[in-house]
Amino acid sequence: NTELAYNPAFKHIPPPLRSRIMNFFEQARFNMVEQQIRPWSVLDFDVLDALAEVPREQFVAPEQQAYAYADLSLPLPNGSAMLEPKVVARLIQGLKLTKQDTVLEIGTGSGYATAVLAKLAGRVITIDTDEAQQQKAKAVLDRLGITNIDYRIGDGLVNPPIATVSAIYVGGSCPVMPETLRNKLPAGGRMAVIVGQEPVMRALLVQCNGEASYEQSVMFDTVAPALGGPAVKKASSFRF
């Protein structure tokens, strides 16, 4: 296991302790899947396998690694946040991704959800307004050898690069339904998005059944950090 080998400090740790640290993360990842994810109605084997493979500790700050697998939303340096693992899992499960899918991720953030999406879909297009944060995420994803990802900078809610995607994952909450994204779904396309404001938010699955025909279902209720970007800050820019 070489997941931590990139960390300059890690090579100075004695080998027995090094092994114990890696075993700690592997056990924590297993516990997350079995004790948090499965009990929260995530039963898709492909999703569970992806979560068991992606090292979440690599996507957090060093001081956060001890609780990388806790049922917590973790802050990022730019003021945004990682969603809880179980929320990421439920949203992605709702999309029912296969290797034939190209998925658009709105908000790269830490890159953790990007990695899980990339394990399941054939291609991921991830867009973020913060280039520095996206570069940090890309560095981790590159080290892990996850290469089926295209990186874009911009506000995906305003100008989504969506011509070829079959699924959309929105990595933070929006005050109201992001119609710009919904209206560009192709027939058969799906979008997972958290909509609302505290204390009431709902994770929605939107499916396009044809031209201007959409089916919307509630996957679960939650409270999640808001997605960053100008379009989100102005609820008036959206309409139900």
Side-chain angles (χ1 to χ4, degrees):
N1 190 327
T2 60
E3 290 168 356
L4 293 178
Y6 78 93
N7 189 325
F10 194 70
K11 64 183 179 181
H12 300 296
I13 298 175
L17 182 56
R18 222 182 287 179
S19 178
R20 287 176 59 189
I21 291 171
M22 288 190 289
N23 289 339
F24 167 81
F25 286 131
E26 289 169 359
Q27 185 63 50
R29 195 177 313 136
F30 175 83
N31 292 345
M32 177 193 75
V33 171
E34 296 301 320
Q35 298 173 14
Q36 295 176 39
I37 308 299
R38 282 186 190 270
W40 221 52
S41 300
V42 179
L43 303 174
D44 182 296
F45 288 123
D46 291 335
V47 174
L48 293 171
D49 286 347
L51 292 163
E53 292 171 6
V54 176
R56 194 168 189 257
E57 73 275 9
Q58 300 300 304
F59 295 91
V60 304
E63 63 270 19
Q64 296 173 325
Q65 286 190 327
Y67 43 93
Y69 294 98
D71 188 15
L72 297 170
S73 175
L74 298 179
L76 296 175
N78 65 356
S80 59
M82 300 173 70
L83 297 176
E84 299 99 313
K86 67 183 183 185
V87 172
V88 173
R90 282 285 292 274
L91 290 172
I92 292 177
Q93 176 177 253
L95 292 174
K96 297 182 178 178
L97 297 171
T98 72
K99 288 299 181 181
Q100 284 67 53
D101 283 308
T102 295
V103 56
L104 171 65
E105 179 186 33
I106 306 297
T108 310
S110 70
Y112 174 72
T114 319
V116 178
L117 292 167
K119 293 281 186 181
L120 298 166
R123 179 184 175 216
V124 177
I125 303 170
T126 183
I127 184 167
D128 202 288
T129 58
D130 187 333
E131 184 173 8
Q133 179 60 48
Q134 189 182 77
Q135 285 301 309
K136 290 179 183 178
K138 183 179 184 299
V140 179
L141 291 159
D142 287 348
R143 281 193 293 264
L144 294 174
I146 302 174
T147 59
N148 58 330
I149 304 168
D150 293 341
Y151 299 88
R152 310 283 177 87
I153 298 299
D155 191 335
L157 294 173
V158 172
N159 187 27
I162 201 171
T164 60
V165 306
S166 51
I168 303 171
Y169 171 91
V170 183
S173 65
C174 297
V176 294
M177 175 61 67
E179 285 192 350
T180 303
L181 290 174
R182 187 200 66 182
N183 294 346
K184 290 192 175 183
L185 284 173
R190 298 89 66 203
M191 176 171 68
V193 57
I194 298 171
V195 175
Q197 301 184 66
E198 290 191 66
V200 181
M201 298 184 188
R202 287 182 167 177
L204 304 177
L205 178 65
V206 181
Q207 301 182 73
C208 180
N209 299 322
E211 187 174 352
S213 174
Y214 305 97
E215 180 181 340
Q216 180 175 298
S217 58
V218 178
M219 292 188 284
F220 56 95
D221 293 334
T222 189
V223 173
L227 189 71
V232 174
K233 295 174 183 176
K234 297 179 180 179
S236 59
S237 66
F238 298 112
R239 296 177 183 173
F240 285 103

